[in-house]
Amino acid sequence: MRISGSTALVTGANRGLGARLVAELLRRDAATVYVAARDPESVAEDIRRDPRVRVLALDVTDPGSVAAAVDATSGVDLLINNAGVLGFGDVLTGDLALFERDLGTNYLGALRVTRAWLPSLRAAGTRGAAVVNVLTLIALAPVAPMAGYCASKAAAHSMTQALRAAVRDDGIEVIGAYPGGIDTDMLAGVDADKADPAEVAERILTGVETGQEIIWPDDASTGAGKLYLGDPVQLETMLAA
């Protein structure tokens, strides 16, 4: 997948990792970048001023919003499912309403968006198209205080695998990115090592351009990813502790 000259769409693109992905796409000479957010007014003014940017209202949990956004776009050949929410809670006592919200956004929202833009991606498949699902290392093994979030991302991980097989003959690459903790508002109250979101964005898009189906976009996820590939139970034990 070549980013230069591409038409990209990034969900949850108004802040955090999404905003850094938009900046990196523009730096790599994407022709058009649809910057999608539930609140379009929250997109930074310096991003809006770039003539390649198209700001798009999109709530991934709302079928009507998704349908309207599809009608407002054309030629999308790179879809980055980045929109996400995080509700804290352990598996026994966590608020099930938060767990349902996380599943609705992180799993079903990403699937809804992918299905909606599939015709555009299939049309671009002969010259190169890709779906990038921004997942998380803890989709592969949970941490106790984020049980619902981990489960929603695990579902999105499984969806990524199923989608990869389903569109393999359409010329569409399906890529999973599995970052560790990132220094964004989502983890503002968490005391842990966190990666620079600009560096994570750069590594994700380098992985896209070099044909990686699985991307470990920071140092922590690279090390833990190697552990997972060698011994999944050991990673589960490490994160549970």
Side-chain angles (χ1 to χ4, degrees):
M1 177 75 208
R2 289 194 57 180
I3 291 172
S4 178
S6 67
T7 297
L9 188 152
V10 184
T11 68
N14 55 320
R15 61 179 185 168
L17 179 59
R20 302 313 193 282
L21 285 164
V22 169
E24 186 65 17
L25 286 163
L26 295 171
R27 191 183 73 80
R28 293 178 185 238
D29 296 324
T32 302
V33 180
Y34 289 103
V35 178
R38 280 185 298 178
D39 177 10
E41 296 303 316
S42 63
V43 176
E45 187 59 35
D46 61 329
I47 293 295
R48 291 172 172 278
R49 285 197 297 266
D50 192 298
R52 296 168 292 170
V53 164
R54 307 288 184 270
V55 177
L56 191 67
L58 176 61
D59 179 349
V60 302
T61 68
D62 180 349
S65 175
V66 173
V70 169
D71 289 343
T73 64
S74 63
V76 171
D77 52 17
L78 174 58
L79 171 62
I80 303 181
N81 284 311
N82 169 76
V85 293
L86 165 59
F88 289 91
D90 68 45
V91 70
L92 296 180
T93 64
D95 184 342
L96 291 182
L98 284 180
F99 287 15
E100 289 178 344
R101 185 201 65 170
D102 286 5
L103 278 167
T105 300
N106 302 338
Y107 166 48
L108 292 174
L111 179 56
R112 180 178 292 111
V113 166
T114 301
R115 287 181 174 183
W117 269 276
L118 195 56
S120 179
L121 293 164
R122 279 180 167 147
T126 56
R127 62 183 185 276
V131 177
V132 181
N133 289 334
V134 178
L135 304 168
T136 171
L137 175 65
I138 56 177
L140 307 174
V143 294
M146 303 179 187
Y149 174 77
C150 294
S152 70
K153 287 293 193 176
H157 162 68
S158 180
M159 179 269 284
T160 301
Q161 295 174 307
L163 181 65
R164 188 176 290 133
V167 301
R168 193 176 300 278
D169 294 336
D170 295 326
I172 303 170
E173 298 176 67
V174 178
I175 300 160
Y178 298 83
I182 307 174
D183 190 10
T184 65
D185 291 346
M186 181 179 281
L187 293 182
V190 176
D191 183 15
D193 291 336
K194 302 171 193 174
D196 179 350
E199 182 177 351
V200 172
E202 189 277 331
R203 290 194 187 188
I204 288 175
L205 294 183
T206 294
V208 171
E209 291 197 307
T210 56
Q212 299 176 38
E213 290 187 333
I214 297 173
I215 301 172
W216 312 104
D218 56 83
D219 293 344
S221 67
T222 298
K226 290 178 181 177
L227 179 61
Y228 171 77
L229 294 173
D231 187 349
V233 174
Q234 189 175 351
L235 178 65
E236 179 182 339
T237 301
M238 181 183 79
L239 292 179

